[in-house]
Structures are given as C-alpha cells and as structure tokens.
Amino acid sequence: MCLQNHCMDAQPSLRFDNTQIAFSYKSDNQLRKASFIFNVVNHPAIARLATWGVKWGLKLGLPIKGIIRATAFQHFCGGETIEKCEGTIQQLDRFQVKTILDYSVEGAKTEAGFDAATEEVLRTVDKAKGNSAIPFCVFKVTGIADAGLLEKVQQNEGLTLEEQQAFGRIRKRVDKICNKAYDYQVPVLIDAEDRWYQRVIDDMAYEMMKKYNVKSPIVFNTFQMYRADMYDNLVKASKLAKSEGYFLGVKMVRGAYMEIERKRAEEKGYADPIQPTKEASDESFNKGLNFCIENIQHTSLMCGSHNEHSNLLLTELMGKNNLSKQDKRVWFAQLLGMSDTISFNLAKAGYNVAKYVPYGPVEAVMPYLFRRAEENTSVEGQSSRELILIRKELKRRSAAR
Ligand SMILES: Cc1cc2nc3c(=O)[nH]c(=O)nc-3n(C[C@H](O)[C@H](O)[C@H](O)COP(=O)(O)OP(=O)(O)OC[C@H]3O[C@@H](n4cnc5c(N)ncnc54)[C@H](O)[C@@H]3O)c2cc1C
C-alpha cells in the first residue's frame, strides 16, 4: 500500500467535501461569522494588524474582550469555564462528534499556578466520568510544570535540592491526573511539546502507562511524526509496551513547533531534528498509522490531524484490517472550529470522532487563538481551505432557499 500523501491508490468511498454535513451544527449567522474570521486571518497584513491590535488592546486594558469573545473565541473555544462549554458539548454530541475538554491556559509560572491548573484538569476528568459525550481528557505538562526545570532534567544538569523537590511535585501532579483518569476510566492524552524537554515527558508517560495501562489503555502519549527520529521511537515504545505487558496509547500528530525546533537547532548548532520536507513528514505520519493498525492488538490510536489524506488512509487501513468503524481502539480528532468537513463526515459515516474543545478565560487563551490565526493565514495569497469550504456552504444554503 502506498503511504505517501500524493499517492492515489488509497481511495475509499468516504469523501470530505460534503459541507452540508460538515456545517449542519452551525446556523447561518455562525457561518457568516466564521467566514468573517477566516477572511481576516487569511490576509497576512490584516492578520498581523489584528493580532498586534488585540495584544496591545488587552495590555492597555481596552474594552475589546467582548469583541474577541463574540468572534474568534466563540469560533475556536467552548467557553470560559467547563460549565460554559456545555452548549458546545451537547451541540457536537447531537452529531456524534465527541468532546475533549482542553484547558488551554498557558503561562502559569508559579507552584500555586501549576497546582491550580492541575485541579482544573482534574475537574475535566470529573466532568468526563461516565459521560459518553466526553470520551477523553487531555493535559499539557508545561501547564503544570516549569519548562525550564524539565529542560534541566533532560540535559542531566545537576538539580539543587529545591529543584529536585519541584520535579518531585511535577511527577506527583502527573500521577494524580493519571490516577484519577484510571479510577474513573477516562483515557487521558498527554500533549507533546518542545523536543528539548519532550524526553522527560515521554519518560513520565511510559511510567504512567506501565502503572495504569495494564488492563486497558488509559494513558496516551503523543508522537510528533515531523521529528526525524519519531517513527523509530514509536516502534521502540511499542516493543517496550509489549515486553512490559501494557497497552500503548498513541496520539499521533505531525507536530506544531517546526519553526521553533529548526530555529533552536540552528542557534545551538545541532542537526535539524525535523524531517527535511513536508512529504517526508507525511510519509512518516502515514507509516506510523500503518504501524499502529498492524499492532492494534496492544495499541490504541488517536489520529490528531486535519490532513484529509491521512484521515482517509486510516479509514482504509481499518477496512483492510477488518476493524469496525466503531472499534474503540481507533479515534479521529480535530480542533474545534477547524476541519469540520473531516470531523462531521467521519462521524456521519460511523467512525469515532472527537474535537479538542479549548476553554479558559479569554485573555488566557489568547496564545492559543494567535496560533490558530497564524495557522490559517495564507502565505501565497490563496484562500485557506477552511474559508473555501465555509463560502461553499454559504453559497449552497443561499441557493437552497
Ligand atoms: C486533535 C489534535 C491534537 C494535537 N495535539 C498536538 C500535540 O500534542 N503536540 C503538537 O506538537 N501538535 C499537536 N497538534 C497539532 C499538529 O501537530 C499539527 O501541527 C496540525 O494538526 C497540522 O498538521 P496536520 O496533520 O493537521 O496536517 P497538514 O496541514 O497536512 O500538515 C502540516 C504539518 O506538516 C508538518 N510540516 C509542514 N511543512 C513541513 C516541512 N517543510 N518539513 C517538514 N514537516 C513539515 C508540520 O508538522 C505541520 O504542522 C494537534 C492537532 C490536533 C488536530
């Protein structure tokens, strides 16, 4: 089977161009608002100006929160608190698209801040307990830990007594979340971050899997397939899980920090850790999907991607390996407000689909929103795929009237 993205031999019947299914959960008004947002971020100059204006507006305390809340925040986030996400959770669930509550507050720097973030993640586990609309929870280790300290640990630098204690507290926080997830039988995803402390996150993730994944996959680690070493890491992680007798939980993504990784490698004078080309990242990702499905007896897979080909390929791999669409070991996931054509068409076809639903106070989720803006800004003057699809649906609705 060809695992490259341009290959045309992977042609299952499922299609992702049905905008009527994709946007059925959005009213005309919501769709027009989405069109406005993607129109703004689509133009690099306007996007830069808007981002700059919002950053300064918030710094100067200008009353712009209401505008953000009614536009980008409403499109990409579920609400400011778990309770305020209820409408989004219900709305998605009506279309069999499930929710992963993602507490997206970044930048807590104090022990009290890390403890508070841990408590918030624990509240998401409470919310998910026995709730079929919320099949997973998620956390980012740097939400509950100091990234600088993680880096020191990875570098094998000697830690002061105080740092050793702080690292002990990080490990306890991770265990507290995974333990509750285990008690409540809510699988938990651990996000992947920067490579210069990712090994510490990986080590904690495998320790947690060994502890909590013996009967079923509860803890999932994230594999960034844009990293040149990641396919081999996946194979090693799989062998380790087999030899130690636990299920391997895999969330597979391409990776979100390519520019930072490359910049740092250049500055520090080590080899670029990222695949040399987009095609190489695609191939590694698709090979990874194939590997997980071939080893599905002791693996659970969440494919976190907005790439149509990879999502289609996974449906095809499932078919070839006689896995039912509802097989609990295979999930598809996208971010709220993006790639609805993939999420809703997959869900309609009967696959297991979930959306990351970020939430938190407006000003605290701004870094997340800025990243979404950057991601959707056109580099070559064409409209982003999101914008094309939204326009197509608006046109379809107006013709149908
Ligand atoms: C549910 C979900 C969870 C996620 N969790 C995480 C996470 O925990 N950690 C994380 O890092 N990211 C995470 N991401 C983001 C993800 O890593 C990607 O950045 C994003 O999804 C875009 O990749 P894609 O597969 O959707 O599709 P595509 O648009 O096909 O791929 C874009 C990606 O390809 C890679 N790429 C682009 N150009 C090149 C190049 N020149 N050379 C090499 N590679 C290239 C980059 O990874 C880029 O992000 C998550 C995404 C989703 C949907």
Side-chain angles (χ1 to χ4, degrees):
M1 177 183 301
C2 177
L3 298 174
Q4 288 175 344
N5 261 26
H6 59 267
C7 237
M8 297 309 288
D9 68 354
Q11 287 283 351
S13 54
L14 182 67
R15 295 177 59 120
F16 292 139
D17 54 3
N18 189 327
T19 58
Q20 185 175 3
I21 292 175
F23 297 114
S24 42
Y25 79 117
K26 289 215 179 281
S27 65
D28 289 357
N29 253 343
Q30 286 172 320
L31 214 51
R32 274 193 286 271
K33 218 184 256 180
S35 168
F36 169 76
I37 293 164
F38 282 106
N39 236 318
V40 169
V41 296
N42 191 51
H43 297 95
I46 302 178
R48 267 197 304 274
L49 191 69
T51 306
W52 180 86
V54 167
K55 277 182 187 161
W56 275 101
L58 288 172
K59 253 188 203 154
L60 296 171
L62 300 180
I64 56 169
K65 260 203 247 171
I67 301 172
I68 301 167
R69 196 179 285 115
T71 52
F73 183 86
Q74 204 180 70
H75 184 78
F76 291 110
C77 300
E80 295 196 60
T81 60
I82 294 177
E83 293 68 36
K84 291 203 171 140
C85 291
E86 194 56 42
T88 304
I89 298 169
Q90 298 296 329
Q91 183 73 336
L92 293 174
D93 195 43
R94 275 181 50 217
F95 297 90
Q96 288 308 312
V97 174
K98 307 298 175 178
T99 288
I100 303 168
L101 286 170
D102 178 19
Y103 182 56
S104 290
V105 170
E106 297 178 19
K109 291 272 182 283
T110 60
E111 289 295 304
F114 297 142
D115 284 338
T118 307
E119 290 307 313
E120 187 61 35
V121 176
L122 291 170
R123 276 193 280 278
T124 65
V125 187
D126 281 329
K127 175 76 182 172
K129 184 186 177 189
N131 187 341
S132 67
I134 311 179
F136 290 86
C137 45
V138 66
F139 71 101
K140 241 191 181 65
V141 173
T142 55
I144 60 169
D146 176 40
L149 178 56
L150 296 177
E151 187 182 348
K152 260 188 131 176
V153 175
Q154 177 152 325
Q155 302 282 320
N156 250 333
E157 286 177 31
L159 301 185
T160 64
L161 181 62
E162 211 176 298
E163 286 170 336
Q164 285 173 30
Q165 288 167 343
F167 187 52
R169 286 192 294 275
I170 295 171
R171 291 163 56 89
K172 277 203 182 118
R173 288 184 198 114
V174 170
D175 190 46
K176 198 170 175 188
I177 295 169
C178 295
N179 184 273
K180 187 162 195 172
Y182 175 79
D183 279 350
Y184 288 3
Q185 289 295 294
V186 177
V188 57
L189 313 165
I190 303 180
D191 276 350
E193 308 187 52
D194 297 326
R195 198 189 68 105
W196 51 94
Y197 51 81
Q198 182 60 40
R199 211 184 54 232
V200 184
I201 299 176
D202 292 343
D203 289 347
M204 287 192 281
Y206 298 130
E207 196 185 323
M208 293 298 108
M209 284 192 207
K210 195 173 168 184
K211 203 164 167 187
Y212 298 116
N213 283 14
V214 175
K215 289 200 193 116
S216 64
I218 293 292
V219 180
F220 283 58
N221 197 24
T222 301
F223 293 77
Q224 296 161 312
M225 304 309 288
Y226 68 0
R227 272 180 51 177
D229 59 354
M230 200 45 72
Y231 182 77
D232 290 344
N233 287 358
L234 174 66
V235 175
K236 270 188 223 151
S238 172
K239 278 191 185 142
L240 182 70
K242 255 189 210 165
S243 71
E244 305 235 341
Y246 60 81
F247 288 95
L248 181 68
V250 176
K251 182 180 80 168
M252 191 171 293
V253 300
R254 279 180 171 73
Y257 309 103
M258 182 175 75
E259 283 84 8
I260 306 174
E261 293 284 358
R262 286 191 164 150
K263 190 162 170 256
R264 179 155 163 132
E266 201 180 320
E267 279 167 10
K268 302 248 171 190
Y270 59 82
D272 182 354
I274 305 298
Q275 295 283 2
T277 59
K278 168 76 165 72
E279 290 69 32
S281 286
D282 292 342
E283 200 176 337
S284 160
F285 188 93
N286 296 341
K287 237 170 88 179
L289 293 180
N290 192 40
F291 179 83
C292 290
I293 295 299
E294 279 178 351
N295 289 278
I296 201 70
Q297 292 311 329
H298 73 113
T299 309
S300 270
L301 170 67
M302 168 163 290
C303 170
S305 176
H306 297 153
N307 182 295
E308 289 189 5
H309 181 91
S310 293
N311 281 292
L312 273 179
L313 178 66
L314 180 54
T315 64
E316 196 197 39
L317 289 167
M318 289 173 73
K320 288 210 161 139
N321 287 274
N322 298 319
L323 300 185
S324 102
K325 292 175 179 178
Q326 298 270 291
D327 192 306
K328 283 201 300 239
R329 296 167 296 186
V330 186
W331 279 81
F332 298 79
Q334 288 79 39
L335 307 180
L336 185 70
M338 289 180 71
S339 293
D340 286 341
T341 41
I342 295 179
S343 313
F344 286 79
N345 282 298
L346 278 170
K348 176 95 179 166
Y351 292 93
N352 298 317
V353 183
K355 289 274 202 193
Y356 264 37
V357 174
Y359 76 94
V362 173
E363 58 278 32
V365 301
M366 285 319 294
Y368 177 87
L369 291 179
F370 291 140
R371 277 206 301 281
R372 299 290 77 80
E374 221 169 86
E375 212 168 83
N376 287 288
T377 299
S378 155
V379 262
E380 278 143 16
Q382 318 105 323
S383 295
S384 75
R385 178 154 172 78
E386 299 291 340
L387 186 54
I388 293 170
L389 293 167
I390 290 166
R391 281 184 181 150
K392 181 179 162 197
E393 175 60 8
L394 280 170
K395 220 164 149 189
R396 190 199 64 77
R397 286 188 191 181
S398 102
R401 263 180 220 120

